[in-house]
Amino acid sequence: MPWETIELNDGNKIPSIAFGTWTLGNGQAPIDQVEQAISVGFSHVDTAQSYRNEEEAGKAVRESGLAREDIFITTKYSGTNGLDIQTSITNSLKNLGVSYVDLYLIHHPSLAVPDIPTAWRQLEELKEKGLAKSIGVSNFGVIELRTLLASAKVKPAANQILLHPYVYVRQAPIIAFAKAKGIAIEAYSALIPLTHRPGGPVDAPVNKIAKNKNVAPEQVLLAWVKAKGAIAVTTSSKKDRLERYLDAGNLGKEFL
């Protein structure tokens, strides 16, 4: 597969592209879309408590026929309904229909209550119990990561952040800090320059590269994410786009 697995700092391995359920909503549609993503080759499903479609994602995973060890599941503690971390992961596991998740993230530093060290210790306990193979964070900046690491017994395996060309300068210090500490970076919303901010300065170089390489613009942006050493978290309801997303892993980094 063009998107290789990456070894995390705890020795576990993670597929370097994930199908995200953030925007999928509820009901049959997300079930069908997760099933479709798995059918074309995605082996990493990323969901969250606040997305309210863990149950649908879990059903799609089970209906795929894949063995549990052949699918990587990420979900997140989102503080939904004021539930604590232990209750939240118990509910998430029930919704997903699994006995463990591969990666469990604190969705945002503001959710680390009463403070980051205390919340992180609770995640370490989940890992000790085997409820999450790896633990990490999302949307943490350098200051929050420093606070966490100061008392952590287990380093976060990953930090999932917004990452696309228009925010790269802002996010670069987080990426550099994570690399120095052995923390994997996951990138969400990498396609925003195309989907939500068309007509910006990125369009011209992306379209030029796409034309020269005979690929789609979205493939160029996903290859850019890979070239930055990040794990891509992306989504689409269209099968052909998902296939292009996977093919983007074949693009070299030398032109990015």
Side-chain angles (χ1 to χ4, degrees), residues 178-192:
K179 183 177 181 180
K181 299 298 182 180
I183 301 168
I185 287 291
E186 295 188 283
Y188 67 82
S189 297
L191 302 184
I192 275 182

Side-chain angles (χ1 to χ4, degrees), residues 1-71:
M1 182 177 174
W3 294 86
E4 304 85 356
T5 57
I6 292 174
E7 185 169 328
L8 299 170
N9 58 26
D10 59 7
N12 293 319
K13 293 183 177 180
I14 182 172
S16 58
I17 189 169
F19 180 78
T21 70
W22 179 14
T23 60
L24 302 190
N26 313 105
Q28 188 61 41
I31 297 173
D32 293 342
Q33 290 179 45
V34 174
E35 286 182 343
Q36 178 174 254
I38 293 172
S39 74
V40 301
F42 281 82
S43 59
H44 180 179
V45 176
D46 180 282
T47 185
Q49 180 188 34
S50 63
Y51 303 167
R52 301 185 185 277
N53 53 28
E54 290 174 316
E55 187 173 352
E56 288 89 340
K59 183 176 182 180
V61 167
R62 293 192 301 276
E63 291 181 351
S64 72
L66 290 176
R68 176 63 188 89
E69 61 269 20
D70 292 332
I71 190 81

Side-chain angles (χ1 to χ4, degrees), residues 36 40 42 191 195 216 218-219 222 234-248:
Q36 178 174 254
V40 301
F42 281 82
L191 302 184
T195 58
E218 63 264 28
Q219 290 177 294
L222 288 174
T234 189
T235 194
S236 177
S237 62
K238 300 184 182 303
K239 184 178 180 179
D240 61 332
R241 285 186 180 173
L242 294 176
E243 291 170 339
R244 290 199 295 272
Y245 294 171
L246 294 179
D247 286 343

Side-chain angles (χ1 to χ4, degrees), residues 2-233:
W3 294 86
E4 304 85 356
T5 57
I6 292 174
E7 185 169 328
L8 299 170
N9 58 26
D10 59 7
N12 293 319
K13 293 183 177 180
I14 182 172
S16 58
I17 189 169
F19 180 78
T21 70
W22 179 14
T23 60
L24 302 190
N26 313 105
Q28 188 61 41
I31 297 173
D32 293 342
Q33 290 179 45
V34 174
E35 286 182 343
Q36 178 174 254
I38 293 172
S39 74
V40 301
F42 281 82
S43 59
H44 180 179
V45 176
D46 180 282
T47 185
Q49 180 188 34
S50 63
Y51 303 167
R52 301 185 185 277
N53 53 28
E54 290 174 316
E55 187 173 352
E56 288 89 340
K59 183 176 182 180
V61 167
R62 293 192 301 276
E63 291 181 351
S64 72
L66 290 176
R68 176 63 188 89
E69 61 269 20
D70 292 332
I71 190 81
F72 192 102
I73 300 174
T74 295
T75 194
K76 309 174 189 76
Y77 169 67
S78 307
T80 304
N81 298 327
L83 297 177
D84 60 49
I85 289 173
Q86 178 63 55
T87 303
S88 294
I89 195 169
T90 299
N91 290 347
S92 290
L93 293 175
K94 181 180 179 181
N95 289 335
L96 288 162
V98 296
S99 60
Y100 69 90
V101 291
D102 296 277
L103 179 60
Y104 195 58
L105 308 177
I106 298 176
H107 211 156
H108 191 276
S110 65
L111 300 169
V113 295
D115 51 51
I116 290 174
T118 303
W120 185 248
R121 180 56 192 151
Q122 292 178 54
L123 257 70
E124 291 178 331
E125 291 173 357
L126 300 182
K127 181 175 172 64
E128 291 169 5
K129 294 176 181 177
L131 302 180
K133 285 194 169 183
S134 298
I135 52 177
V137 296
S138 182
N139 300 302
F140 272 51
V142 173
I143 293 174
E144 291 88 2
L145 288 173
R146 287 188 188 277
T147 300
L148 187 158
L149 291 170
S151 62
K153 294 180 180 178
V154 177
K155 281 185 180 182
N159 183 19
Q160 187 175 126
I161 63 172
L162 174 69
L163 184 59
H164 56 75
Y166 293 143
V167 298
Y168 178 67
V169 171
R170 186 179 84 210
Q171 302 292 57
I174 302 172
I175 297 170
F177 183 83
K179 183 177 181 180
K181 299 298 182 180
I183 301 168
I185 287 291
E186 295 188 283
Y188 67 82
S189 297
L191 302 184
I192 275 182
L194 298 176
T195 58
H196 291 76
R197 296 176 62 180
V202 161
D203 283 19
V206 165
N207 289 331
K208 181 179 180 180
I209 293 169
K211 182 178 180 181
N212 290 341
K213 295 292 182 178
N214 193 30
V215 297
E218 63 264 28
Q219 290 177 294
V220 175
L221 285 178
L222 288 174
W224 177 86
V225 167
K226 185 178 181 182
K228 298 302 180 188
I231 297 158
V233 181

